[in-house]
Amino acid sequence: MADDQRTQAAAWFRTLRNDICAAFESVEDALTGGEHGSLPAGRFERKRWQRQTAEPDNLVQDMDPAAPLVNGGEIALMRGRVFEKVGVNISTVQGRFSPEFRAQIPGAAESDGVFWASGISLVAHMRSPLVPAVHMNTRHIVTSRGWFGGGADLTPMFFDTPETAEDKADFHAAFQKACDMHDPAYYPKFKKWCDEYFYLPHRQEPRGIGGIFYDWLDDDWSRNFAFTQDVGRAFLNIYPQIVRRRMQASWTPEQREYQLVRRGRYVEFNLLYDRGTMFGLKTNGNTEAILMSMPPEAKWP
Amino acid sequence: MADDQRTQAAAWFRTLRNDICAAFESVEDALTGGEHGSLPAGRFERKRWQRQTAEPDNLVQDMDPAAPLVNGGEIALMRGRVFEKVGVNISTVQGRFSPEFRAQIPGAAESDGVFWASGISLVAHMRSPLVPAVHMNTRHIVTSRGWFGGGADLTPMFFDTPETAEDKADFHAAFQKACDMHDPAYYPKFKKWCDEYFYLPHRQEPRGIGGIFYDWLDDDWSRNFAFTQDVGRAFLNIYPQIVRRRMQASWTPEQREYQLVRRGRYVEFNLLYDRGTMFGLKTNGNTEAILMSMPPEAKWP
């Protein structure tokens, strides 16, 4: 039964990855204006990686791209004309946490450090400073316990514009709807968690305009999995809509400069505070996949 | 006596700052070739900041730039034609470490968290990818104990060139000389410490070609202070020499692109691993001063 759950979760993350990549490529096709309308539409490039562990029996030789992931991941990276750099990664890894890391992970002490984890992680940095950047991640982790976590948050470059107010309202509405289908307590709780998590104390600044963040959801596997799927579907529905309505507008060099500075804040958050980044680097994850969240260009003038 | 030591140390860091800024401005004046020889020579801009603490009696109202620092710092920042961005910061701060931070700092538990710290910190990011970036920092910290620490390390963009081999040899020779004047055991020990410290495990890459790194030097105040002064003098002597002999050469757009990628590694190191950055952010330091080490522009393509 537990094996079947893992298979279902991993298969979902792959399906969602495929759907998102298709939706983003379709957005690339739809660009007609802006500063880069004459560039070719972008396409994702995919790459498989296998996790190297200290235990040789965990190594997998099968690199058939159609085969399910056993202990590795797939990077899908697009450098497009709308999406300046977007990474959509899935991974399914298993192994043993180091003793010092076990205390921080629920149920890991009881599993003697043994874990299994599968998830999807996405960060999009856009060419236009008028199109918000976005992050989405959902995951299923199993130790002696098993839980779901994830969320999505939007990072417009300009916080105080009517466009941002509209994007913020629609982004939140999409995730509130996904939450409310499952539990009316979810949205207020997960919105607050997101605001608290995506905050830069040293700047006294929020990273963006929020979204939802949840973790350690383990009260009912089927319900929690269904909710995690709906979070993915909400993202797939709302973010391409927001991109499409903003991407045709032209921007100024000053707006681009400001975008590059805002991206510096994104770098600061991910390297100083992000748990996912730390988790990945400490569990011998794939550095290229983990740091795909870095913006293609950033400035600290 | 302890007050007199603090005064001497703080005065030295200020003198060194003045000498370094003058030397760097003189380098700016000397540029005739390269890609930016026609730009105006850069000049440092200085800014004072006061530390805000929870204890109002630590606040200092005197903003006279000639007055010694009591609980704050001075940022000197130059955006020049040779130095794309260089920050030379001095600070003298005092206060009380938070309980969770005390355990990590020698003598802080015994001082009930009370500390005094003064130092100079410098990071230079150069326009030319053929001129190495550099970092230098020395400091005197007092809790119930008192010690000196610091060092300097060089980050060429290209590791395997004859020019880098020459720069590396001269940079190391300068600091070896400073070390050997004080203790023949210093250089091998502090060189190794530097190599170990400035290393990116997730990339399995050194940050640069090393230099020296030392800390917790507390066996003899006068000797340790004299050594710290000689480290500063060695830097003042060697780095402008290296810049001057490299800065006139032209570079290609491909070399510039590579430089921007290498700068991404610099960002990763400073935000993921650097103790000074963490110390600054956790002791309510000045964020602008701490993150002045960030490069003006970086890429993760």
Side-chain angles (χ1 to χ4, degrees), chain B residues 77 219 268:
Chain B
L77 176 66
D219 55 321
E268 290 172 21

Side-chain angles (χ1 to χ4, degrees), chain B residues 238-257:
Chain B
I238 189 62
Y239 185 64
Q241 277 188 52
I242 290 174
V243 175
R244 282 171 185 266
R245 73 187 179 203
R246 302 290 169 226
M247 72 184 181
Q248 307 289 3
S250 292
W251 60 89
T252 67
E254 291 72 27
Q255 289 171 325
R256 172 69 180 177
E257 280 299 300

Side-chain angles (χ1 to χ4, degrees), chain B:
Chain B
M1 181 55 188
D3 273 359
D4 181 55
Q5 289 176 348
R6 295 180 192 192
T7 304
Q8 281 184 64
W12 160 252
F13 295 129
R14 171 171 291 208
T15 299
L16 181 61
R17 188 273 316 268
N18 291 343
D19 291 350
I20 288 172
C21 289
F24 285 4
E25 290 185 348
S26 167
V27 167
E28 282 284 317
D29 291 334
L31 185 71
T32 55
E35 307 298 306
H36 296 95
S38 58
L39 295 178
R43 287 294 177 263
F44 277 96
E45 289 178 23
R46 295 189 186 184
K47 188 151 68 166
R48 268 205 164 202
W49 55 272
Q50 294 293 320
R51 185 157 169 274
Q52 307 294 316
T53 73
E55 296 164 316
D57 57 350
N58 274 346
L59 288 179
V60 177
Q61 302 303 326
D62 175 15
M63 294 294 284
D64 172 9
L69 292 166
V70 176
N71 200 13
E74 285 176 13
I75 294 170
L77 176 66
M78 179 164 71
R79 296 183 185 88
R81 58 185 186 174
V82 178
F83 293 85
E84 188 173 338
K85 178 182 173 188
V86 52
V88 189
N89 297 325
I90 54 172
S91 65
T92 297
V93 297
Q94 49 191 308
R96 199 183 286 270
F97 290 125
S98 64
E100 61 268 28
F101 203 46
R102 276 171 214 181
Q104 303 172 37
I105 307 286
E110 295 77 4
S111 74
D112 205 23
V114 171
F115 74 95
W116 177 95
S118 186
I120 180 170
S121 176
L122 175 160
V123 173
H125 296 285
M126 313 306 285
R127 284 194 187 264
S128 169
L130 307 178
V131 181
V134 80
H135 160 254
M136 188 275 293
N137 160 246
T138 52
R139 56 193 175 266
H140 181 34
I141 300 181
V142 182
T143 56
S144 66
R145 302 169 57 179
W147 67 93
F148 288 89
D153 67 291
L154 194 73
T155 307
M157 301 302 120
F158 301 92
F159 280 21
D160 295 323
T161 65
E163 291 81 5
T164 290
E166 188 186 11
D167 293 345
K168 178 179 178 177
D170 292 351
F171 191 79
H172 276 274
F175 287 99
Q176 177 162 15
K177 191 175 155 202
C179 288
D180 288 352
M181 286 191 295
H182 295 270
D183 189 328
Y186 276 0
Y187 176 70
K189 183 178 171 191
F190 298 158
K191 175 195 184 300
K192 181 163 176 281
W193 201 343
C194 186
D195 287 340
E196 289 166 357
Y197 183 81
F198 291 105
Y199 183 77
L200 287 75
H202 67 288
R203 298 283 190 184
Q204 299 183 278
E205 286 175 8
R207 179 167 93 166
I209 56 82
I212 60 166
F213 185 100
Y214 65 103
D215 209 352
W216 308 304
L217 211 57
D218 67 353
D219 55 321
D220 179 318
W221 191 89
S222 297
R223 265 172 36 94
N224 302 154
F225 179 46
F227 171 64
T228 294
Q229 289 178 298
D230 282 332
V231 168
R233 291 185 188 107
F235 174 84
L236 181 61
N237 176 49
I238 189 62
Y239 185 64
Q241 277 188 52
I242 290 174
V243 175
R244 282 171 185 266
R245 73 187 179 203
R246 302 290 169 226
M247 72 184 181
Q248 307 289 3
S250 292
W251 60 89
T252 67
E254 291 72 27
Q255 289 171 325
R256 172 69 180 177
E257 280 299 300
Y258 188 74
Q259 178 191 43
L260 298 180
V261 174
R262 295 302 310 168
R263 283 184 179 170
R265 303 290 205 271
Y266 214 93
V267 170
E268 290 172 21
F269 182 86
N270 282 12
L271 298 182
L272 285 171
Y273 304 115
D274 188 58
R275 290 196 324 200
T277 302
M278 299 306 287
F279 179 92
L281 294 175
K282 288 199 180 180
T283 54
N284 196 20
N286 182 289
T287 296
E288 186 182 349
I290 297 162
L291 294 183
M292 191 151 292
S293 62
M294 294 292 104
E297 187 179 1
K299 289 193 176 183
W300 288 266

Side-chain angles (χ1 to χ4, degrees), chain A residues 121-197:
Chain A
S121 175
L122 175 162
V123 173
H125 296 285
M126 313 306 286
R127 283 195 187 265
S128 168
L130 306 179
V131 181
V134 80
H135 159 254
M136 189 275 292
N137 161 245
T138 52
R139 57 194 173 267
H140 181 34
I141 299 181
V142 182
T143 56
S144 67
R145 301 169 57 180
W147 67 95
F148 288 89
D153 67 292
L154 194 73
T155 307
M157 302 301 120
F158 302 93
F159 281 20
D160 295 324
T161 65
E163 291 80 6
T164 290
E166 187 186 10
D167 293 345
K168 178 179 179 178
D170 292 350
F171 192 80
H172 276 274
F175 288 99
Q176 176 162 15
K177 190 175 155 203
C179 287
D180 289 352
M181 286 191 294
H182 295 269
D183 189 328
Y186 276 180
Y187 176 69
K189 183 179 171 190
F190 297 159
K191 175 195 184 300
K192 181 163 176 282
W193 201 343
C194 186
D195 287 340
E196 287 165 0
Y197 183 80

Side-chain angles (χ1 to χ4, degrees), chain A residues 74-260:
Chain A
E74 284 176 14
I75 294 171
L77 176 66
M78 178 166 69
R79 297 183 185 89
R81 57 184 187 173
V82 178
F83 293 84
E84 187 172 338
K85 179 182 172 188
V86 53
V88 188
N89 297 325
I90 56 173
S91 66
T92 297
V93 296
Q94 50 190 309
R96 201 182 284 270
F97 290 125
S98 63
E100 61 268 27
F101 203 44
R102 277 172 213 182
Q104 303 171 39
I105 308 286
E110 295 78 4
S111 74
D112 206 22
V114 171
F115 74 96
W116 177 95
S118 186
I120 181 170
S121 175
L122 175 162
V123 173
H125 296 285
M126 313 306 286
R127 283 195 187 265
S128 168
L130 306 179
V131 181
V134 80
H135 159 254
M136 189 275 292
N137 161 245
T138 52
R139 57 194 173 267
H140 181 34
I141 299 181
V142 182
T143 56
S144 67
R145 301 169 57 180
W147 67 95
F148 288 89
D153 67 292
L154 194 73
T155 307
M157 302 301 120
F158 302 93
F159 281 20
D160 295 324
T161 65
E163 291 80 6
T164 290
E166 187 186 10
D167 293 345
K168 178 179 179 178
D170 292 350
F171 192 80
H172 276 274
F175 288 99
Q176 176 162 15
K177 190 175 155 203
C179 287
D180 289 352
M181 286 191 294
H182 295 269
D183 189 328
Y186 276 180
Y187 176 69
K189 183 179 171 190
F190 297 159
K191 175 195 184 300
K192 181 163 176 282
W193 201 343
C194 186
D195 287 340
E196 287 165 0
Y197 183 80
F198 291 105
Y199 184 78
L200 288 76
H202 66 289
R203 298 284 189 184
Q204 299 183 279
E205 285 175 10
R207 180 167 93 167
I209 57 82
I212 60 166
F213 185 101
Y214 66 103
D215 209 353
W216 307 305
L217 211 57
D218 67 353
D219 55 322
D220 179 319
W221 191 89
S222 296
R223 264 173 36 94
N224 301 155
F225 179 45
F227 171 64
T228 293
Q229 289 178 298
D230 282 331
V231 168
R233 293 185 187 108
F235 174 83
L236 180 61
N237 177 49
I238 189 61
Y239 185 65
Q241 276 189 52
I242 290 174
V243 175
R244 282 170 185 266
R245 74 187 178 202
R246 301 290 169 225
M247 71 184 183
Q248 307 290 3
S250 292
W251 60 88
T252 66
E254 291 72 26
Q255 289 171 325
R256 172 70 181 177
E257 280 300 299
Y258 188 73
Q259 178 191 41
L260 297 179

